[in-house]
Amino acid sequence: MAVWDLSVSVEELGAEAPPLKISVTSDLHIGGVILKVVEKTQISKDWSDHALWWEQKQQWLLKPAWTLDKCGIHADARLCLTPQHKPLQLIMPNGVTLRLRACFSSPVFRTVMGICKLLNMRHPEELSLLRPAEEKKKKKQKDEEEVFDITSAPLPTGSIVKLANGMPAFFTESPQMENVYKMLSVSQPALPPETIAKMYRPTSKVDKAQVNSRWLDSSRSLLQQGLKENDKLFLRFKYYSFHDLTPQFDAVRLTQLYEQAKWAILLEEIECTEEEMMLFAALQYHIGKVSTTEQLVASCPAMDDLDSALQCLEVKMEAETSADDMLETMTAPELHDYLKIFRPKKQTLKKYKQFWFTFKDTSISYYKSKEESCKEPIQQMNLKGCEVAPDVSVAGQKFCIRLLIPEPEGMNEVYLRCDNEQQYSKWMAACRLASKGKTLADASFSSEVQSIQSFLAMQRTTPGSKAVQSDDSINTHSLVSPRYQKKYKPKQLTPRILEAYQNVAQLSLTDALLKFLQIWQALPDFGISYFVVSRFKGCRKDEVMGIANNRLIRIDMNVEEVVKTWRYNTMRQWNVNWDIKQVAIEFNGNVNIAFSCVTADCKIVHEYIGGYIFMSTRNREQNDTLNEELFHKLTGGHDAI
Amino acid sequence: MDDIDAMFTDMLEEMDLLTQSLETEITEPKPPSNSSSKSNSMQDLNFSIGFTDLNASLNELEDNDLDALMADLVADLSATEEKFAAERGSVKPQPPPAVTVPAAHFAPAAPLAPPTHVPHSAPGAPPPSKPKNELPPCPASNAPNLTSNTSVPPPPAVSSKASAEDVEAQMKADKIKLALEKLKEAKVKKLIVKVEIKDGGSKTLMVDERQMVRDVIDNLFEKTHCDGNVDWCLCETNPELQTERGFEDHENLVEPLSAWTRDSENKVIFHERKDKYEIFKNPQNFYMWKKDKKSLKDMKDKEKELLLEEHFCGTSVIVPDLEGVLYLKEEGKKSWKQRYFLLRASGMYYIPKGKTKSSRDLQCLVQFDNMNVYYCKDYKIKYKAPTDFCFILKHPQIQKESQYIKYLCCDDHWTMTLWVTGIRIAKYGKMLYENYKNAERKSSSLSSVWSNRNLQPSPSTSNASTPSPTPKAKAANGHPPQHHSEPVAKGPSNQSSFPPPPAPVDILPPPPPDPTLPPPPPPPPAWAMPVKKEPNPPRSAPQHSQPAFPPPPPMDFPPPPPLSDDAELPPDFLPPPPPVMGGFMSADLPPPPPDPFHTALPPPPAPFNPPAAAGGDLPPPPPPPPPPPASGALHPTASQRRVGPPPPKRTTPTLSAPSGGDFMSELQKAMQKKRGGQGQ
C-alpha cells in the first residue's frame, strides 16, 4: 500500500512550529496516527486527553479504530493533535467568572454535563451555554473582572470524589478553592444601583428575543462552533422546568438559579408588578443578610457555640412553657411604656396623645398613666390578624407604627408613635408577631427586633444623608430594578420593602431562596423564551413566538398581547425543513402552523421545543441517569440522524 | 402493649371528662351562671360572653340536637365505664348500670378535682370560672349556632348515682389529677356548633380548636350518612352582608367562627357546592377559559390530569390567568365602576385609566394574605349592583358593611365562579389540591362502605341468624326504641362486624363506583342517615338494657384503640372499597348478629322519608337511656354517630374527648331545664 505524508500540527510544540510530517498508509487507524505523532514530538507527558482535529472539515476524529481511509483523510488534510479539554471562561448566573477545563470535543450537551458535574449541579439538561453578546466597544476594564481559576480540578470524564453534601472533594484542596465553592453556593452581595442601572435591559419582547440567538448548538462540539481556548461563555438555565429541586443536594444549583432569577427581575427581563417587586426586594435583602451571617458563624467557632447554646436554651424554655402553664404565667413577657397614640378615624384635630401602654400576649392595652395600669384599660386591642405597617423616618426621628386592626365593622386604624429606635423596634416586633398570632414569648422575638433595627440602619446610611457608606450596608435601591430606582427615593422605598419584609423575615435561607423562586415562577410571563418569527400562515408581518415548558404562544409584536396558544400535548408532530429553515408543527384537529425564525437559527427553536418535550419525559420516579440519546433524538435535527 | 398504653391514655382522657363534669356539679349546683360571671378580669369577660350566649343557644337548640348531643355524651360515659371495667379486669359489660355508674365512680374523685380548678375560677362566678380553664379565649361563642362550651349545671343522672365502685375511683384519683393537668395544658378551645343541613335539618356538634374543617365534614358524613361526595362543603353565611363562603378543608373551623360577633346571625351550613372542587374536576374550564367551551367539554381525563400536574405539581402553583372587565363598587359610594382586572398569584390587579396591561402599570386592588373571598347574594337590591353575580373580598374578621370590603360584580355566574376559584387558588395554592385528593379518597371509601351496606342485606341476613333483621329495621324507622337495643350493642362492633359483606362486595364491583356518582347515592344516603340514627338511640339503651352481651364487650375492650382507629379512618385511608371491609372483618371475624341488622337497614330506606327531620318527633318509647330521659328517643341524630364509631371516637384525639366534660354538663343542665319544662 502506498505510503504518504500526513501533516499534523501539535499544539505542544508551539503555534509557530511547522506541522509534523508522518508517513502513513491509508489503512492506518487514527490511534496509530496519534501514536506516531506522539513519538515524533519526543515529549513525554500524559497524552490521553488529546485527539485529532481535522481543520478543513471542522471535525473531530474521535474513533481510534477507524482507518484514515474510512475517515476520508488524504494527503491534503491538515490535522491537529490537541487536548479535548481546554480552559474556558465561564460566567455563572451569579456573575462570577470561572476558568475551568471544558470538553471541546463532545456535543455541548455533554460538555455542559461535565461542567455541571464539576460544579455539583444536578440536572445539567436544564442548562446550556450562551455566547456573550457582541461587545461594540472594547472595554478596557475587562482586566478588572476577577477570574477564579479551577482548571486544577480533575477532568469530569473521570469520577469525581464528592463529600457527603455533594461538594466535590477537590474544592477542599485549598482555601482558594473552598472560597470558589462558597461563591458558587452562596448568593452574591448586591451590586451598587448605579452598576445595575448601566447594565443592558431589554425593553420589548423583540429585545428579549435577541438573547435566544446566542445559545450554542447542543449537538455539536465547542470547537465545531468556533470557540477557542479561553473564550468566554455564559452558563445559564435554559429550560424553565426545574426538576426535583432538593436544597440539601442542590446548594449550587439553587443559588445559581436564584441568581439568574434575581437578575432577570432586576434587569426587567421578566416584568412584575410593584407589589411583587417589593416582595422580591425584601427576599433579596433577607437572603443577602442571612447568607452573610451564615458565613460569619461558620468562620467563628466561638460564636457558633454561643449560638447553639442560646438555641438550646430557647428550646428548653419553650418546652418548659408548654409543659407547665404555671411557668407561663410567671414568665409571660410584657412590654410597658409611655407611647403616643393617634386614631385618624375619629376626625378630630387631636394629635398624638400619650398613654401608658402595655403589650401582653397579642394585645395592646392602654391606660391613662402607669399608676392606673392596675385598673381597667381605656382600651384593649387584640392585634391578631391585623396589618402592621411602619411609618418611619430616621432622619426626621419619626417612629410610628400603623396598625389596621380588623373588627366586625371594618378596620380600625391606629398609629402608635415611639420616641426612639430602640422602643420602636421592640414594639414593632411585638406587633408583627402578634399579627401572626404569636406572643412576645415566641423565640423569634429577639431576631425580629434585630432585623427591624438593621433595616432602620439601612435607612440611616442611604445616600440621601451622604453619610459614608459602610461596606455592609445595603442600598435599598440595589434591590429593585432601575425603573423603581427612578420612581422612588430610598426614603420611600425602605418602608415599602420593610412592609413586605415582615412576611419573610423569619424564613431560613433555603426557604427564602425557594420562596423567591416560587414567586418568580408564578409570574405570568415566567419561563417564556421569545423569538421573532415570520411567515406565520396567513400573516405577513413578523410576530413573536414564545416558547414555554408546556405551550407555544403566538404574540402580537406591536401590542405584545397573546394571540393564541398551543399546548404541546395537543401536538402531533413537528418538522424542520432545514433547507428553507422553516419549522412546521401539526396539532390535533388539523391545526398546522409553520414559521421561520428571524432572530435565531431555526435549530435553536427546534431545540427549545424538543428540549421541553424531553424535560416533560422526566418524572419523579426515574433515577438520575440522563437519557442523552433521547435528548439528541428530540433536539438533534438532521445532522444528528 | 401499645394497645394497653393507648387504652390507658384514653382512659385518662375519659376520666378528665367525667371528673370535670362532676366538678362542675359540685362547685355550683345552680345553673344561673350567666349573670354571675360578668365581673372580673378580661378572661372572665370573655368567658361570660360565651356563657350568656350559651344559655340562649342551649335554649334554642332543637330538641333533637340536644338529644343527639346528650346521646353522644351518654355513649361517652358508658364507653368510659366499660373501659374502666376492662382495666380492672372485670370485664363485665353491665351496660345499663354503666351510664349511671360513671358518675358514681367519680363522685369521690370530684373533691380532688375542684381544688385544681378553684384557682382559676373567679370568685364571683364559680360556675363560669371552671369552664374558663379550658377555654380561656372563648369570646367566639355565638348566639344560637355557637356556644362556648362552658360547663354549668350538674347533670341529674350523674349526681344522683351512688358509688357502685368508689374504691376504684379513688384508686384512680391520681390519674384523674394527672389527666386534669393534661387537660389544662391542652387548653383547647371548643365550640358547640349547630350546622344547618340543606334539607332543613340540623346537626349540633362540638368542634375543638385543632379540628380541621375536613374532620368536621367527616364527622357530619357519619352523622348524616350522605353520600360523602367531594362537593359537600361546610359554609358560613353572613345574613348581614348576604355572603356565603365555603370553608376550605384544611382550615380550622374554630378560628373563623371566633370572628363572629356575639349577636351574629351567621350560620354554618352543610351542603353540596359544585364549585368547591370543580377546578380539579374540569381544570380546562379554568386554565383554558379563553377557549371555546364546547371544545373543552370532551377533554380526556388524561389531559385533565396533565393540566393539573402542570399547574399544581410544580415548585409553585400556577394561577389561572384570569383577566377581564368586572365592576368594582366605588369606595363609600353606591356606584359601580367597570375596570379591567387581572389575577396574579400575588393579588388582584386592575389597569388604571390610560395605562396598558403591562405588569409595571398594574394597580393592586388587594393581596390575598389577609383576605377571604365570599359569594354574595342579592346585591342588585342591596347595593344596586349591575348583576347579582357578586363576590367580595374582606378580612375574615369584618362582619359588617365597611369601606375595607372590596365589592366586585361579574357579568355572569360562570365569570364569578372563575374569579372566586382563581382567587382561592392564588390564596391557598397547593393546599387546595391536597384537600381535593383527600376528599376524593374519603368519598371513594365512603361510597364503598355505602355499597357494602347495600349489598349486605342478602348475605348478612342469611348468614346471621338474628331475628328477622329487615322487619326490625323497618320498625326502627317508625319506632326506634325497641329495635335499637340490638343495634346498639352492635354499635361498637358494627364496623368490625362487616365480615360477610366483603365477599359480596367483591362479587359486585359496580356498586362501589356508583357512590361517587351523585345520582344514585344521594337518595340512599338521606335515608341511610335516618335509618342509622334510629338504631343508634337504642344503642345507648341496649347497652344498658341488654346485660347479655358477652360477645360485644370483649370486642370493645381489647381492640378499642385499634378498632377505633380503623373505624374512623377506614374511609380516609382505604380508598378501595372492598379492602376496607376486609380490614374490618379481619379485626373481628366473629360476625355478630348485629350485622344482619345493619345490613337490613339499608333496604328499608325508602319508607323513611321523614326520619331526619322527624327525629325529634319520634315517640320516646322505652326509657332505656337513663341519663337523657325524655330525650332518649331523640338520640337518633347523635346516636347515629355513636352507633358505628362511638368507641372509636373516644380514642381519637381530635374529637375533643378531653373537654367533653364541660360541654357535657352544660348539656345536662339544658336537658334538666327541658325536662323541668316538660314536666310542668
Side-chain angles (χ1 to χ4, degrees), chain A residues 394 421 452-462 473:
Chain A
V394 179
E421 259 180 76
I452 293 168
Q453 284 173 345
S454 67
F455 217 93
L456 288 177
M458 212 162 93
Q459 207 187 41
R460 215 183 302 134
T461 55
T462 43
S473 71

Side-chain angles (χ1 to χ4, degrees), chain B residues 77 86 89 92-93 110 115 136 152 210 226 232 305 359 399 403 416 465 469 498 540 546 562 645:
Chain B
L77 281 175
K92 294 157 196 168
V152 186
R210 300 160 301 186
C226 60
W232 283 96
E305 252 168 56
S359 306
Q399 298 290 319
Q403 53 164 329
M416 175 172 72
S465 59
F498 277 98
S540 60
Q546 294 199 354

Side-chain angles (χ1 to χ4, degrees), chain B residues 590-647:
Chain B
D595 294 343
F597 195 89
H598 256 292
T599 53
L601 293 180
F608 298 84
N609 299 338
D617 305 332
L618 296 176
S631 57
L634 305 178
H635 291 308
T637 33
S639 58
Q640 182 256 312
R641 176 237 248 167
R642 281 299 136 177
V643 176

Side-chain angles (χ1 to χ4, degrees), chain B residues 115-322:
Chain B
T116 34
H117 292 285
V118 173
H120 298 274
S121 64
S129 62
K130 185 258 173 175
K132 253 186 276 170
N133 300 338
E134 304 179 358
L135 332 167
C138 40
S141 66
N142 293 291
N145 302 329
L146 293 181
T147 351
S148 61
N149 71 326
T150 44
S151 66
V152 186
V158 181
S159 59
S160 59
K161 311 310 159 193
S163 59
E165 346 218 312
D166 294 22
V167 190
E168 296 273 339
Q170 281 201 342
M171 284 175 63
K172 303 277 144 52
D174 330 49
K175 283 176 195 164
I176 295 171
K177 246 180 164 179
L178 197 116
L180 283 175
E181 296 262 341
K182 263 164 96 189
L183 225 194
K184 256 196 280 168
E185 262 175 53
K187 273 196 176 179
V188 179
K189 187 161 146 189
K190 280 165 206 106
L191 295 177
I192 294 181
V193 182
K194 179 171 153 191
V195 179
E196 292 203 358
I197 296 171
K198 249 297 146 51
D199 60 10
S202 71
K203 295 271 176 262
T204 304
L205 57 162
M206 187 167 65
V207 180
D208 89 32
E209 220 172 5
R210 300 160 301 186
Q211 268 181 303
M212 291 191 312
V213 170
R214 183 73 241 167
D215 302 325
V216 179
I217 291 179
D218 290 347
N219 204 341
L220 282 164
F221 281 165
E222 276 168 27
K223 286 200 173 208
T224 62
H225 283 245
C226 60
D227 62 351
N229 73 54
V230 296
D231 291 335
W232 283 96
C233 181
L234 210 54
C235 305
E236 73 171 321
T237 59
N238 180 328
E240 174 134 9
L241 286 169
Q242 299 174 9
T243 57
E244 172 171 336
R245 175 174 92 91
F247 295 116
E248 304 299 346
D249 286 356
H250 66 277
E251 280 184 89
N252 281 328
L253 186 57
V254 169
E255 201 179 315
L257 297 187
S258 303
W260 293 6
T261 53
R262 285 172 69 171
D263 53 347
S264 176
E265 290 179 23
N266 293 6
K267 284 179 179 162
V268 178
I269 296 184
F270 185 56
H271 61 159
E272 287 172 273
R273 283 204 71 108
K274 285 282 171 242
D275 64 307
K276 186 180 184 188
Y277 288 128
E278 182 64 16
I279 175 100
F280 302 111
K281 294 183 197 159
N282 288 301
Q284 73 280 10
N285 292 340
F286 295 84
Y287 281 103
M288 300 161 78
W289 58 277
K290 283 176 194 162
K291 299 220 169 171
D292 180 23
K293 263 213 156 175
K294 277 179 201 160
S295 67
L296 297 176
K297 225 178 178 180
D298 38 51
M299 190 177 231
K300 285 170 199 145
D301 284 351
K302 194 118 194 237
E303 285 177 59
K304 291 182 187 174
E305 252 168 56
L306 191 78
L307 265 182
L308 287 180
E309 199 182 311
E310 268 172 22
H311 294 97
F312 286 91
C313 302
T315 7
S316 98
V317 165
I318 310 297
V319 171
D321 57 339
L322 300 183

Side-chain angles (χ1 to χ4, degrees), chain A residues 271 276 385 408 483 521 550, chain B residues 310 315 346 360 395 399-400:
Chain A
E271 290 197 345
E276 286 155 358
R483 181 191 313 282
Q521 292 180 58
N550 59 354
Chain B
E310 268 172 22
T315 7
S346 60
R360 54 178 182 262
H395 194 290
Q399 298 290 319
K400 292 173 183 160

Side-chain angles (χ1 to χ4, degrees), chain A residues 157-280:
Chain A
T157 41
S159 64
I160 292 180
V161 184
K162 294 197 173 186
L163 302 186
N165 61 359
M167 175 178 174
F170 66 85
F171 275 118
T172 58
E173 277 163 14
S174 70
Q176 288 86 354
M177 291 292 272
E178 227 168 314
N179 193 32
V180 170
Y181 191 76
K182 195 177 277 171
M183 262 189 321
L184 294 176
S185 54
V186 175
S187 75
Q188 295 300 290
L191 295 181
E194 301 77 31
T195 321
I196 299 175
K198 271 186 219 153
M199 291 177 165
Y200 170 75
R201 278 172 288 136
T203 54
S204 67
K205 295 209 160 49
V206 176
D207 285 350
K208 291 174 193 168
Q210 299 307 323
V211 68
N212 289 322
S213 64
R214 299 174 1 223
W215 291 109
L216 293 183
D217 185 340
S218 300
S219 37
R220 294 193 300 148
S221 69
L222 288 179
L223 206 55
Q224 279 176 312
Q225 300 185 56
L227 283 145
K228 295 186 210 74
E229 199 171 315
N230 272 327
D231 271 355
K232 270 191 186 173
L233 284 178
F234 291 96
L235 181 69
R236 288 289 183 272
F237 291 89
K238 180 178 179 185
Y239 301 101
Y240 294 89
S241 166
F242 313 115
H243 191 63
D244 182 28
L245 211 51
T246 320
Q248 60 265 41
F249 303 124
D250 288 331
V252 177
R253 180 172 173 227
L254 190 61
T255 309
Q256 297 302 328
L257 189 54
Y258 158 72
E259 289 279 343
Q260 186 167 331
K262 177 179 102 181
W263 285 107
I265 287 154
L266 285 180
L267 298 180
E268 293 163 18
E269 284 162 21
I270 182 166
E271 290 197 345
C272 62
T273 64
E274 202 170 309
E275 284 72 20
E276 286 155 358
M277 181 60 85
M278 296 308 149
L279 188 50
F280 282 128

Side-chain angles (χ1 to χ4, degrees), chain A residues 141-405:
Chain A
Q141 306 168 336
K142 257 188 184 175
D143 303 357
E144 280 181 25
E145 283 175 33
E146 201 178 352
V147 175
F148 299 92
D149 197 315
I150 56 166
T151 46
S152 60
L155 292 180
T157 41
S159 64
I160 292 180
V161 184
K162 294 197 173 186
L163 302 186
N165 61 359
M167 175 178 174
F170 66 85
F171 275 118
T172 58
E173 277 163 14
S174 70
Q176 288 86 354
M177 291 292 272
E178 227 168 314
N179 193 32
V180 170
Y181 191 76
K182 195 177 277 171
M183 262 189 321
L184 294 176
S185 54
V186 175
S187 75
Q188 295 300 290
L191 295 181
E194 301 77 31
T195 321
I196 299 175
K198 271 186 219 153
M199 291 177 165
Y200 170 75
R201 278 172 288 136
T203 54
S204 67
K205 295 209 160 49
V206 176
D207 285 350
K208 291 174 193 168
Q210 299 307 323
V211 68
N212 289 322
S213 64
R214 299 174 1 223
W215 291 109
L216 293 183
D217 185 340
S218 300
S219 37
R220 294 193 300 148
S221 69
L222 288 179
L223 206 55
Q224 279 176 312
Q225 300 185 56
L227 283 145
K228 295 186 210 74
E229 199 171 315
N230 272 327
D231 271 355
K232 270 191 186 173
L233 284 178
F234 291 96
L235 181 69
R236 288 289 183 272
F237 291 89
K238 180 178 179 185
Y239 301 101
Y240 294 89
S241 166
F242 313 115
H243 191 63
D244 182 28
L245 211 51
T246 320
Q248 60 265 41
F249 303 124
D250 288 331
V252 177
R253 180 172 173 227
L254 190 61
T255 309
Q256 297 302 328
L257 189 54
Y258 158 72
E259 289 279 343
Q260 186 167 331
K262 177 179 102 181
W263 285 107
I265 287 154
L266 285 180
L267 298 180
E268 293 163 18
E269 284 162 21
I270 182 166
E271 290 197 345
C272 62
T273 64
E274 202 170 309
E275 284 72 20
E276 286 155 358
M277 181 60 85
M278 296 308 149
L279 188 50
F280 282 128
L283 279 165
Q284 272 184 71
Y285 170 72
H286 183 61
I287 290 168
K289 208 175 90 172
V290 185
S291 326
T292 51
T293 53
E294 260 189 14
Q295 275 175 331
L296 214 129
V297 170
S299 61
C300 175
M303 276 273 287
D304 216 12
D305 287 350
L306 187 65
D307 215 48
S308 59
L310 277 174
Q311 267 174 2
C312 279
L313 194 66
E314 263 170 12
V315 172
K316 217 170 151 192
M317 295 277 285
E318 272 178 330
E320 273 172 30
T321 43
S322 63
D324 186 357
D325 49 351
M326 290 290 284
L327 192 72
E328 190 187 338
T329 47
M330 275 163 50
T331 59
E334 294 177 24
L335 290 180
H336 309 273
D337 239 327
Y338 276 108
L339 302 178
K340 290 175 184 144
I341 189 168
F342 169 57
R343 308 168 154 281
K345 210 176 172 184
K346 294 179 183 166
Q347 294 183 338
T348 53
L349 289 174
K350 269 189 252 165
K351 281 239 145 181
Y352 286 93
K353 215 176 161 190
Q354 180 165 295
F355 291 96
W356 175 254
F357 280 79
T358 64
F359 201 119
K360 198 183 169 195
D361 290 331
T362 59
S363 299
I364 290 185
S365 321
Y366 60 93
Y367 310 84
K368 239 182 181 159
S369 67
K370 188 176 182 181
E371 290 68 35
E372 303 208 355
S373 60
C374 50
K375 298 183 186 169
E376 288 276 305
I378 297 170
Q379 204 199 351
Q380 192 188 28
M381 305 173 280
N382 190 343
L383 303 192
K384 207 171 164 187
C386 79
E387 287 174 35
V388 188
D391 180 12
V392 177
S393 156
V394 179
Q397 285 296 294
K398 176 188 174 197
F399 301 101
C400 293
I401 303 169
R402 177 175 174 260
L403 299 171
L404 264 185
I405 305 165

